[in-house]
Amino acid sequence: MINRRSFLKGTLAGAAVAAASPHVIGQAKPRVVVIGGGSGGATAARYLAKDSKGELDVVLIEPTRTYYTCFFSNLYIGGFRDFQSIGHTYGKLASDFGVTVVHDWATGIDMNYKTVSLASGTKMTYDRLVVAPGIDFKYDTVPGYTAASSGKMPHAWKGGSQTQLLRAQVENMRQGGTFMMVAPPNPYRCPPGPYERVSMVAHVLKQSNPTAKIIVLDPKEKFSKQGLFQDGWNRYYDGMVEWIPASFYGGIKNIDADNMTIDVEGETFKPDVANIIPGQQAGTIAVAAGLTNDKGFCPIVPATMQSQVDENVYVLGDATIAGDMPKSGFSANSQAKVAAMAIRGDLTGSRVFKPKFSNTCWSLIATDDGVKVGASYEATDEKIAKTTGFISQVGEDADLRKQTYEESIGWYNGIVSDMFG
Amino acid sequence: MKPAVSVVASIALCVSMASQAGDVERGAQLFSQCQSCHAIGEGAEHKVGPHLNELFGRQAGSIEGFGYSEGLTTAGVNGLLWDAEHLDAYIENPVSLVTGTSMMFAGVSDATDREDLISFLRAYSANPRDIPESLPTMAPQDPDVDPSILALQGDPEYGEYLSSECKTCHLADGADRGIPSIVGWPEKQFVIVMHAYKNKTRPHNVMQMMAAALSDEDIAALAAYFKDK
């Protein structure tokens, strides 16, 4: 745990820190540092730089050079996308928009001195800070499962190598084997995601391994788009998918990644592939900086996305408690634009308008069978509150489902262009 | 886009309906501006545009074997049905009802002309024909946006902020990579389309939701912003 006092002892004055950072050459432009280059952070950095037209110094801190989106990673697992197509780099944010992209880990935040420390040892001052670290796992929600277990039993709930590992395991599973998923408890990133993944795994197995089984152990009694998914599983993957809520299996007793066992009350499963998605909390940096509440997520001011802990800090995306908004890439992108507007207004005096939020989550059930759920939101004093929404219906005709899938591809092209330029 | 080929067709004038709201005979005369692309009546075949027999109650873009634009097919899949109300909107301004339609026709601005035309078209749809409450014989509703709304001067700077919500899906450079372009539209057309989503005339659940969250001023601001992009 990094605390403010340890930084105070360091007594690095703000000016000295600024001079030490590599990219600042004595200008007086207000600086916004953005931690995390995902949907929230990359969008915020791009909009801040684009719309301030050079009036702000925007720094994006992101450890990876190629960012693999978590959204659409299920389509990679299902064989509908290649891996390269969900990878994106930060080159245009730098070249076209003037964002300073620093590939490093943010390890601590000192809100008194307004500095961010990086794993490389650099400290960076900010006038406003955007924290968009996504999620990290609460491993203790799944007894026996640790960070090390994910090498054998992947969570694949962050984009990148975990996604590749899970796909390889599914492809190489023995004939007639069992794929097990332990679904996450609420709240978690991408509510329909586990069930889209089940659909995509079933899609692969139906072709290459038709006698295989899929078992989902779910700590929840119901889930997002449940009727739509279960209808799809019946239509396409009859008898392959078994979804079991905790009221039936009684909760996970222990998981042993070395022996590939999952113990529940009175029974030990020995799956061939195990996808364990633990409970989640805000990304480690947000927890370390004290931006989270006792549930592990960050309370925010609905109209601006400011942290309730510090008015100079804004938090975006999956790490936040965003009222009625689900944790999704679309939500984070939407919140980033509200925050960018508020920050610009604050630092450059630009106009500030009424915040607007929206989200749509598309899921693919089988080839050309897409479904979606969406809503728009407004900021009230208490929370980001839903105003209106919609959901796909069971029994829609095949053309509409195909069009919904094609629309999701259009959306993907749109949002990655909105994030990365 | 299909090239606009000019072919004149003879149409069978065998109209005997008397109970419609519009003037069928006048509609037949007005149809002369449609017949270079559309045939109607006994033995009518597709030309540049599809034949217009049995049009009422048909899903847009749904005649097997006719090469519709993607825009019209999509609109039909989304639930666009040719009833009097939607035909009226389409004939008034095809592009504002159906983005990407290949019907390159400026539209009929006069409401009475459209009513007469629709009454004429309706005569070639069999069923049910003469029941005043039923779909084909329903009086056309005016989909016009209130002139005071069209007169609103949009604030493009506000529109730029609002547009960020559109750009999660619609590409800022106007390319269509799965979701239609909304860049460079005439202001009035943009406003009409967004109001058509707002009052749920124009089908599409995401767009209806987005439009529901926009005020008249918001829509004007977006139109003002996007027209110059």
Side-chain angles (χ1 to χ4, degrees):
Chain A
M1 179 92 184
I2 293 155
N3 59 44
R4 296 192 202 184
R5 247 168 284 129
S6 66
F7 277 104
L8 285 170
K9 270 188 252 160
T11 61
L12 272 164
V17 176
S21 66
H23 58 281
V24 178
I25 310 152
Q27 30 67 318
K29 273 197 243 177
R31 182 192 287 162
V32 185
V33 173
V34 180
I35 298 175
S39 182
T43 306
R46 180 164 167 272
Y47 273 77
L48 283 162
K50 171 173 76 73
D51 295 340
S52 67
K53 300 179 172 68
E55 283 188 67
L56 294 177
D57 176 18
V58 182
V59 181
L60 176 65
I61 300 168
E62 161 61 40
T64 64
R65 284 172 191 276
T66 301
Y67 180 86
Y68 292 95
T69 57
C70 212
F71 47 92
F72 267 37
S73 64
N74 284 332
L75 272 60
Y76 161 74
I77 290 170
F80 291 91
R81 303 283 292 207
D82 63 40
F83 197 60
Q84 201 190 346
S85 78
I86 58 170
H88 306 275
T89 57
Y90 297 90
K92 277 195 191 163
L93 285 186
S95 64
D96 295 6
F97 300 95
V99 175
T100 305
V101 182
V102 178
H103 291 297
D104 204 341
W105 282 96
T107 53
I109 299 166
D110 184 328
M111 289 183 266
N112 289 334
Y113 280 99
K114 297 206 266 186
T115 60
V116 175
S117 41
L118 306 180
S120 62
T122 311
K123 282 196 183 184
M124 195 169 276
T125 56
Y126 63 81
D127 293 289
R128 297 293 179 274
L129 178 66
V130 178
V131 181
I135 51 104
D136 270 300
F137 297 108
K138 287 172 155 170
Y139 289 103
D140 58 5
T141 57
V142 186
Y145 190 73
T146 65
S149 316
S150 66
K152 290 198 167 160
M153 294 178 156
H155 52 74
W157 217 240
K158 293 183 181 188
S161 56
Q162 277 278 301
T163 312
Q164 290 179 297
L165 175 61
L166 186 63
R167 174 166 159 167
Q169 289 184 347
V170 170
E171 282 174 348
N172 296 318
M173 195 167 92
R174 74 175 169 86
Q175 287 296 310
T178 301
F179 173 96
M180 271 186 99
M181 171 188 281
V182 175
N186 289 322
Y188 62 96
R189 153 181 288 179
C190 191
Y195 313 99
E196 179 184 56
R197 174 168 295 169
V198 165
S199 308
M200 292 295 94
V201 170
H203 172 77
V204 170
L205 295 178
K206 188 182 174 184
Q207 299 163 69
S208 64
N209 195 344
T211 55
K213 290 274 176 218
I214 297 173
I215 299 173
V216 184
L217 299 180
D218 204 324
K220 305 179 293 298
E221 297 300 310
K222 57 185 173 99
F223 59 84
S224 171
K225 299 182 190 164
Q226 182 164 354
L228 292 164
F229 281 116
Q230 290 185 326
D231 167 67
W233 296 341
N234 285 335
R235 283 190 293 126
Y236 297 107
Y237 316 117
D238 191 28
M240 184 181 266
V241 180
E242 194 179 348
W243 175 76
I244 311 174
S247 54
F248 278 80
Y249 69 85
I252 305 286
K253 299 297 167 210
N254 189 47
I255 283 190
D256 182 342
D258 289 330
N259 294 306
M260 285 297 284
T261 56
I262 298 175
D263 295 344
V264 299
E265 193 68 58
E267 190 169 0
T268 293
F269 292 99
K270 232 179 152 354
D272 298 277
V273 175
N275 175 202
I276 313 295
I277 311 169
Q280 293 157 34
Q281 60 184 355
T284 305
I285 182 78
V287 179
L291 294 168
T292 49
N293 71 1
D294 58 352
K295 302 270 194 304
F297 290 100
C298 303
I300 47 94
V301 178
T304 58
M305 300 307 294
Q306 269 165 306
S307 166
Q308 287 184 13
V309 175
D310 186 311
E311 63 179 7
N312 296 316
V313 178
Y314 295 70
V315 192
L316 302 176
D318 294 351
T320 63
I321 299 164
D324 296 339
M325 290 187 95
K327 298 185 187 304
S328 74
F330 196 130
S331 292
N333 169 272
S334 176
Q335 294 158 10
K337 293 161 186 174
V338 169
M341 173 182 65
I343 292 169
R344 281 198 304 122
D346 195 11
L347 293 178
T348 72
S350 65
R351 290 167 70 188
V352 174
F353 304 105
K354 187 182 166 203
K356 287 177 111 59
F357 302 93
S358 55
N359 175 63
T360 298
C361 292
W362 287 266
S363 305
L364 186 60
I365 295 175
T367 304
D368 287 337
D369 194 335
V371 291
K372 56 185 167 178
V373 58
S376 51
Y377 308 84
E378 63 184 12
T380 67
D381 290 342
E382 296 87 49
K383 65 172 183 177
I384 301 178
K386 178 175 165 178
T387 52
T388 173
F390 68 88
I391 184 166
S392 296
Q393 300 298 312
V394 168
E396 286 170 340
D397 74 48
D399 285 346
L400 179 55
R401 290 294 180 87
K402 179 168 192 270
Q403 197 212 316
T404 299
Y405 169 58
E406 285 166 356
E407 182 179 281
S408 75
I409 297 169
W411 162 76
Y412 188 89
N413 293 331
I415 194 171
V416 297
S417 158
D418 205 34
M419 291 163 63
F420 300 103
Chain B
M1 294 285 167
K2 290 181 204 71
V5 183
S6 179
V7 185
V8 179
S10 63
I11 55 157
L13 273 178
C14 55
V15 184
S16 59
M17 300 300 114
S19 63
Q20 290 90 351
D23 181 335
V24 176
E25 232 162 281
R26 207 171 154 267
Q29 287 161 20
L30 289 163
F31 190 75
S32 62
Q33 60 189 310
C34 315
Q35 66 191 32
S36 57
C37 298
H38 291 287
I40 195 166
E42 203 181 329
E45 291 180 358
H46 299 317
K47 299 161 78 178
V48 174
H51 75 72
L52 298 177
N53 292 336
E54 305 301 339
L55 179 62
F56 276 82
R58 184 203 292 164
Q59 178 182 315
S62 64
I63 301 181
E64 284 290 319
F66 183 77
Y68 291 98
S69 63
E70 226 177 280
L72 201 72
T73 310
T74 301
V77 167
N78 270 319
L80 179 61
L81 206 69
W82 292 128
D83 56 20
E85 182 189 358
H86 290 92
L87 274 173
D88 186 69
Y90 194 55
I91 294 170
E92 183 185 16
N93 187 341
V95 183
S96 82
L97 185 72
V98 180
T99 306
T101 179
S102 48
M103 179 156 142
M104 293 291 104
F105 177 61
V108 175
S109 56
D110 186 279
T112 311
D113 287 359
R114 295 197 302 275
E115 200 174 317
D116 293 347
L117 259 174
I118 290 165
S119 296
F120 168 74
L121 293 171
R122 179 170 81 204
Y124 295 93
S125 288
N127 187 24
R129 193 180 274 166
D130 298 327
I131 309 162
E133 302 77 32
S134 74
L135 197 67
T137 48
M138 182 176 73
Q141 285 171 8
D142 191 355
D144 276 352
V145 175
D146 191 295
S148 67
I149 291 174
L150 285 174
L152 285 173
Q153 287 298 309
D155 171 355
E157 205 179 319
Y158 179 42
E160 180 169 14
Y161 164 66
L162 292 172
S163 77
S164 67
E165 206 171 20
C166 315
K167 290 171 187 164
T168 303
C169 298
H170 297 277
L171 288 164
D173 64 5
D176 177 350
R177 293 176 62 203
I179 286 185
S181 168
I182 53 170
V183 168
W185 282 39
E187 230 170 328
K188 184 183 168 196
Q189 210 171 79
F190 193 102
V191 172
I192 290 171
V193 165
M194 288 308 289
H195 281 278
Y197 283 126
K198 196 173 159 70
N199 67 28
K200 305 200 189 296
T201 318
R202 197 173 153 118
H204 194 273
N205 43 15
V206 179
M207 285 310 302
Q208 288 180 354
M209 173 190 87
M210 302 306 287
L214 297 170
S215 69
D216 296 346
E217 286 74 20
D218 293 353
I219 290 173
L222 280 166
Y225 169 75
F226 276 116
K227 81 169 174 351
D228 293 326
K229 286 290 124 189

